Amino acid sequence: MALDLSRTALQIDEMAADIQAREGIRSQRLKAAVSAAQDFLIDDYLKKIQGASAASWALPGIVGHPGEAISAPPAYPDFFVVSADGSHIDANRHLPARCYVINTGVATLAYGVSPSAHLYSTPRLYASEQEMVVRSPDGTQEQQIEGAVLGARRSVEEIRALTKEIRNTPSNTPTLGLLDGTLSLIGLASQGYHDYVRKELIEEGFALALEEIGDLHKKRKLAVASYVSLPNHAEVIRALRLTTCEYEVDNLPRTCGYKGSVRAPCGSCVGGIRDRDLYAQLLLPGQRSMVFEATYPVIKNHYRGMSIGFFYLNAGEEIARVEIPSWVAEDPESVNIVHSIALDQCRRGHGYPVALMEAHEQAVISGSDRKIFEDLLQQVLYAHSLPTYTSEKQRSKRLRWT
């Protein structure tokens, strides 16, 4: 047995005891956060935020009251939900050839007098020299498409598939386009990636597709959103911490460890909890928060003039984060489409949107699929009299000692 479970069980027990010991502090901070949200003064926040870096601390744009709870609008009798999700096989030096696969799943569900479902997936193999890298315009630099860059490429393929499918839905019926995860491709914000990578994948890829859906939105009842299950964000909490901390803004990183959650000299500290914890206390099932604005620099610099908003939704089983582009956030009817249909989807899916579940089922690449792909790759190369190779490490995983 590779893992000594008896020792691991003791360590888990010690961890549980530590979590239990911290629970009292967490409860105090959560109570303080609820009070801070209910007593929030927008003018004080705007005054304090002038001395802080909203982008570097991920402080959200706030134009209303973070403690507000907004009830669900009436359900639509007829509507469409279009969802796209993806899975991939990463480029791997242990494979017989340099390549990667993206499998994009799409689900279109119609509700009302003529219910229907259209489910399919589109696999695509990328293997050419041009497809394996992102090149700078002058051709002097290139970025391998793997890891976070491949994840961004997959997101682009997902939203392009979503855009194509939305065009095929009737224009006279309310429609929600739904993606899994975030609309903010902050994985490419690292200094390790050049602007030409962000330009190709975000500006000319993801953001352009969002813009195309926005053009369709001008002519019909259409909205697009992404759904984040069990969100780990704390932007609203950081905003509340900014307004309640007794220290000056410039001293927060030194005195309170503002970016972290452990050091908290002031008794009113609300750090160390997540936005979902706060809204589990403030929202009843079906209710949502106000719409906040995300302030990541990558959005400001690479989203073609759009911003990204978000709100928290009590979907019944969990507090979810729903992200929307600015052209949705600025239109109350579009926000209602997102709120009403996303909530309906969660209720039908026992806590998670049905359309996303179906798109995922179409997109998923199982472990056996990956093994078959690898074997097929090797067989086809061999049939074409092409050299195949693999690492001794990969070979050792397949063989047993005799």
Side-chain angles (χ1 to χ4, degrees):
M1 182 171 59
L3 178 63
D4 189 338
L5 291 174
S6 61
R7 293 187 179 183
T8 305
L10 291 174
Q11 294 167 5
I12 292 175
D13 188 64
E14 292 172 358
M15 178 189 70
D18 182 61
I19 293 174
Q20 187 176 34
R22 297 198 307 265
E23 189 59 28
I25 297 175
R26 180 184 175 280
S27 297
Q28 292 176 6
R29 293 184 177 186
L30 181 56
K31 184 178 180 180
V34 170
S35 296
Q38 293 171 337
D39 298 337
F40 186 86
L41 297 175
I42 184 65
D43 291 339
D44 288 351
Y45 178 68
L46 295 177
K47 187 181 299 182
K48 274 206 168 187
I49 205 173
Q50 292 176 356
S53 173
S56 63
W57 289 348
L59 294 169
I62 301 178
V63 295
H65 198 285
E68 182 181 11
I70 301 171
S71 297
Y76 293 92
D78 300 274
F79 61 91
F80 279 86
V81 187
V82 182
S83 183
D85 195 16
S87 185
H88 67 260
I89 299 176
D90 207 336
N92 186 341
R93 71 180 191 276
H94 300 293
L95 290 177
R98 184 75 175 165
C99 62
Y100 60 91
V101 176
I102 296 178
N103 190 37
T104 307
V106 175
T108 300
L109 307 179
Y111 296 90
V113 294
S114 301
S116 64
H118 182 212
L119 313 174
Y120 66 92
S121 65
T122 304
R124 183 178 173 186
L125 174 70
Y126 298 80
S128 71
E129 184 179 350
Q130 293 78 13
E131 292 172 334
M132 297 306 297
V133 298
V134 178
R135 284 197 174 91
S136 61
D138 60 7
T140 60
Q141 295 176 298
E142 62 182 33
Q143 170 68 55
Q144 295 290 325
I145 298 181
E146 56 189 9
V149 180
L150 177 53
R153 172 73 77 190
R154 192 181 92 181
S155 294
V156 172
E157 293 305 313
E158 291 170 6
I159 196 169
R160 284 175 174 169
L162 186 77
T163 305
K164 180 181 178 181
E165 191 65 18
I166 285 175
R167 293 183 186 277
N168 295 328
T169 59
S171 59
N172 58 349
T173 305
T175 301
L176 173 62
L178 199 57
L179 294 168
D180 180 49
T182 180
L183 295 181
S184 306
L185 302 187
I186 59 175
L188 296 182
S190 166
Q191 294 181 356
Y193 301 113
H194 294 282
D195 272 347
Y196 71 84
V197 177
R198 302 184 187 101
K199 180 177 178 61
E200 177 170 326
L201 295 177
I202 301 179
E203 294 179 36
E204 299 173 357
F206 195 87
L208 179 59
L210 268 181
E211 193 174 79
E212 291 174 359
I213 301 175
D215 291 337
L216 296 174
H217 157 265
K218 297 174 184 178
K219 306 172 185 177
R220 53 186 293 189
K221 292 182 179 181
L222 167 66
V224 67
S226 68
Y227 187 93
V228 185
S229 179
L230 196 67
N232 203 36
H233 302 73
E235 289 143 282
V236 178
I237 291 298
R238 281 192 286 268
L240 298 179
R241 190 171 183 181
L242 180 71
T243 59
T244 58
C245 187
E246 63 188 46
Y247 294 99
E248 294 296 325
V249 171
D250 292 339
N251 292 329
L252 282 176
R254 294 189 298 273
T255 56
C256 287
Y258 190 77
K259 293 182 181 180
S261 62
V262 178
R263 296 168 53 212
C266 49
S268 61
C269 182
V270 299
I273 55 177
R274 301 298 177 191
D275 291 348
R276 68 172 189 259
D277 301 320
L278 171 66
Y279 285 105
Q281 302 295 314
L282 294 175
L283 302 178
L284 296 175
Q287 293 182 331
R288 69 168 175 89
S289 71
M290 61 160 283
V291 177
F292 302 91
E293 180 186 355
T295 58
Y296 301 113
V298 70
I299 298 174
K300 179 180 179 181
N301 298 331
H302 299 285
Y303 271 67
R304 305 174 68 89
M306 282 181 290
S307 59
I308 300 297
F310 64 92
F311 61 80
Y312 288 95
L313 172 68
N314 187 330
E317 301 296 328
E318 68 171 355
I319 301 296
R321 176 181 168 112
V322 180
E323 298 187 355
I324 51 179
S326 52
W327 49 264
V328 172
E330 293 163 1
D331 179 18
E333 184 177 15
S334 295
V335 176
N336 283 343
I337 289 175
V338 176
H339 187 176
S340 175
I341 297 180
L343 181 61
D344 177 271
Q345 285 287 286
C346 290
R347 287 171 174 168
R348 294 175 189 268
H350 304 288
Y352 187 75
V354 174
L356 284 178
M357 293 169 59
E358 296 294 348
H360 172 77
E361 287 300 315
Q362 297 298 309
V364 67
I365 301 175
S366 67
S368 60
D369 290 336
R370 295 172 191 273
K371 174 65 168 56
I372 293 171
F373 168 76
E374 184 177 335
D375 291 342
L376 180 62
L377 183 62
Q378 190 159 354
Q379 291 170 14
V380 172
L381 291 176
Y382 181 80
H384 284 76
S385 300
L386 294 171
T388 62
Y389 58 87
T390 187
S391 69
E392 293 307 309
K393 176 180 180 179
Q394 184 74 0
R395 194 188 312 277
S396 71
K397 293 179 179 179
R398 294 189 168 208
L399 302 177
R400 298 293 186 204
W401 290 102
T402 59

